[in-house]
Amino acid sequence: MSIRIIGTGSALPEKIVGNRDLTELVETSDEWIKERTGIGSRHISTGETLVSLTANACERALENAGREAADVELLLVATCSPERNIPCAACQVQSAIGANQAVAFDLNAACAGFLFALNTAWAYVEAGIYKNALVAGGEVLSKIVDWTDRGTCILFGDGAGAVYVEKCETGGILGFVQHSDGTKGDVLKCDSRALKNPYVDRPMEAQYVQMDGREVFAFAVRQVPASIQEVLEKTGIGAADIDLFVLHQANKRIIEGISKRLSVDLDRFPINLDRVGNMSAAAIPVLLDELNRQGRLKSGMKLVLSGFGAGLTYGACVMEW
Ligand code: UT7
C-alpha cells in the first residue's frame, strides 16, 4: 500500500522583486546573484499571508484532483515561517478551506519540511489510519529575512504549494529516506522570541535568518546525492530509470553539483529558482505543480523528490506518477 499524488496546486504573491531591485537595498549586482545562485527574481508578499497562500494552494490542489475539502482526512502544513505560534497554520488553513473533518497540524523541518510531511502522510495511510491527505509547504520568509544582509536576502522568496494524496495499491511513493543532524543546527538558524518573563530579562536576540552559506552549500552537494543513492538502492531503481529529479530549489550550482555526482544529465533536473528563488518548504510542491500544469508529468513516470536544509534535515523519496 502507498499514496499517490492525485492533484497539485500553488500560489505565489503578486509582487515580483528582481535582482536589480535588491541593488537598492544592499551592495550586490544582478550578475553576482545570477552567477552565484541562478536566481533572477522572487515573489515577495506585500500582504498575502502564509495562511492565505497555503489555503489557495490547497484549494487548487483539491480542484486539480476533483475532490472536496470536506472529505480530507489529514491536513499537514510544512512551514518555518508561520504567522502565529498558536493556533498552527494547518488549523487556520483547515478553517479557510472548510476541511472540517481533517486532523490538521504543522511540521517544521525547514527546507526538507514538505518531503517529511509527505512521508508522514504516507506513514499514516500505510498504518491504515487515514485514506487521504492534503500536504502543503508554505513560507513567507520575507518576514524573517534580514533585508540588510546580502548573503541571505537575495536568496529567499515567498509562496506555497500543495498536493492532495490518496491511498493506492500499486505505484505512488515507492520508498523514502530521511535524516537529521542537529549538531550542525547553527549553520542556518532563525531565533524565535527571547526568554523574557517577570523572572528573567535577557536582551532580545536577532530574530532573523543567519546562515553560513558555504557550510550549507558543502553539506548539500555531499549529503543530497548520498541520500538519493540510498533511496535508489533501497527501492532497487537505477538513477538512469528516473525521469525527473525534483529537488529543493536553493541554488543552481547546488543542483549542478548533485547532477554531476549522480552522473545524471542536468536536463532531468527541472529548475524554477530563477523565477521564484528559494521558498524553503514551498519549493518542491510549487515546482511539482508547475510541472504538472505544464503536462510534463506523465502517468508511470518515475520521480525522485529531495529536500534539504536547516536542522540540518535532508532526505529523498522515489515515486511513480
Ligand atoms: O535551503 C537551504 C538554504 N541555503 C542555501 O542553500 C545556501 C547555500 N549557499 C549558497 O547558496 C552560497 O554559499 C551563497 C549564494 C549564499 C553565497 O555564495 P558563495 O559563492 O558561497 O559566496 P561566499 O559566501 O563565499 O562569498 C564570496 C564573496 C564574499 O566577498 P569577499 O569576502 O570574497 O570579498 C562575500 O562578501 O561574495 C560576497 N557576497 C556578495 N557579493 C555580492 C556575498 N553575498 C553577496 C551578494 N552580492 N549578494
Side-chain angles (χ1 to χ4, degrees):
M1 197 195 296
S2 186
I3 54 171
R4 184 186 291 284
I5 295 177
I6 310 289
T8 63
S10 61
L12 299 172
E14 222 166 274
K15 185 169 180 63
I16 298 173
V17 175
N19 291 345
R20 286 204 176 80
D21 299 318
L22 296 179
T23 63
E24 292 164 17
L25 303 177
V26 289
E27 206 180 318
T28 189
S29 65
D30 180 42
E31 296 71 30
W32 192 95
I33 301 172
K34 279 200 180 126
E35 193 193 311
R36 305 308 295 165
T37 72
I39 298 168
S41 61
R42 69 288 288 147
H43 291 249
I44 298 292
S45 169
T46 54
E48 296 92 344
T49 66
L50 171 78
V51 171
S52 70
L53 291 167
T54 308
N56 281 345
C58 284
E59 279 172 339
R60 287 171 191 164
L62 285 170
E63 196 184 334
N64 186 241
R67 301 292 192 269
E68 299 295 327
D71 298 325
V72 174
E73 297 184 357
L74 174 67
L75 199 173
L76 299 177
V77 175
T79 185
C80 60
S81 54
E83 255 98 54
R84 294 180 172 157
N85 289 337
I86 47 174
C88 65
C91 283
Q92 296 173 76
V93 170
Q94 176 196 30
S95 165
I97 67 172
N100 304 326
Q101 304 302 318
V103 64
F105 60 94
D106 290 1
L107 193 152
N108 178 358
C111 305
F114 172 78
L115 184 81
F116 283 19
L118 191 63
N119 296 340
T120 303
W122 179 93
Y124 271 106
V125 172
E126 172 76 13
I129 298 169
Y130 303 118
K131 292 186 297 299
N132 69 49
L134 254 179
V135 183
E139 304 286 7
V140 179
L141 297 170
S142 59
K143 64 180 182 239
I144 60 168
V145 159
D146 178 355
W147 287 93
T148 66
D149 174 15
R150 69 178 181 173
T152 52
C153 75
I154 55 139
L155 296 174
F156 298 106
D158 301 333
V163 298
Y164 171 81
V165 299
E166 274 177 8
K167 179 174 129 180
C168 64
E169 296 305 328
T170 56
I173 295 185
L174 305 175
F176 63 83
V177 296
Q178 37 190 24
H179 298 283
S180 304
D181 180 2
T183 64
K184 306 263 168 47
D186 277 350
V187 302
L188 179 48
K189 62 182 181 183
C190 178
D191 293 333
S192 183
R193 294 186 190 193
L195 182 65
K196 195 167 185 237
N197 65 37
Y199 309 102
V200 289
D201 189 3
R202 296 184 191 170
M204 294 286 276
E205 290 175 24
Q207 292 173 26
Y208 296 103
V209 171
Q210 295 169 280
M211 182 178 72
D212 181 336
R214 285 185 200 185
E215 277 290 328
V216 178
F217 194 100
F219 143 72
V221 292
R222 197 175 49 243
Q223 299 293 5
V224 176
S227 67
I228 292 175
Q229 293 285 17
E230 190 186 346
V231 79
L232 290 174
E233 275 165 33
K234 193 173 166 181
T235 52
I237 297 168
D241 298 323
I242 300 297
D243 296 287
L244 291 174
F245 292 79
V246 181
L247 302 193
H248 171 51
Q249 302 284 299
N251 184 318
K252 187 160 186 270
R253 288 188 299 129
I254 291 178
I255 297 174
E256 286 166 351
I258 294 168
S259 108
K260 209 175 258 176
R261 283 202 183 207
L262 291 172
S263 304
V264 171
D265 276 357
L266 194 57
D267 61 10
R268 278 196 274 155
F269 291 76
I271 289 177
N272 68 354
L273 61 79
D274 52 323
R275 289 176 286 110
V276 296
N278 177 347
M279 298 186 294
S280 190
I284 292 175
V286 169
L287 180 55
L288 264 182
D289 184 47
E290 286 185 12
L291 294 168
N292 189 23
R293 284 167 198 272
Q294 287 161 6
R296 289 176 65 189
L297 303 177
K298 312 268 186 243
S299 176
M301 261 186 163
K302 290 203 173 56
L303 311 183
V304 161
L305 310 189
S306 178
F308 51 91
L312 300 169
T313 53
Y314 56 103
C317 75
V318 181
M319 69 168 66
E320 194 178 291
W321 191 255

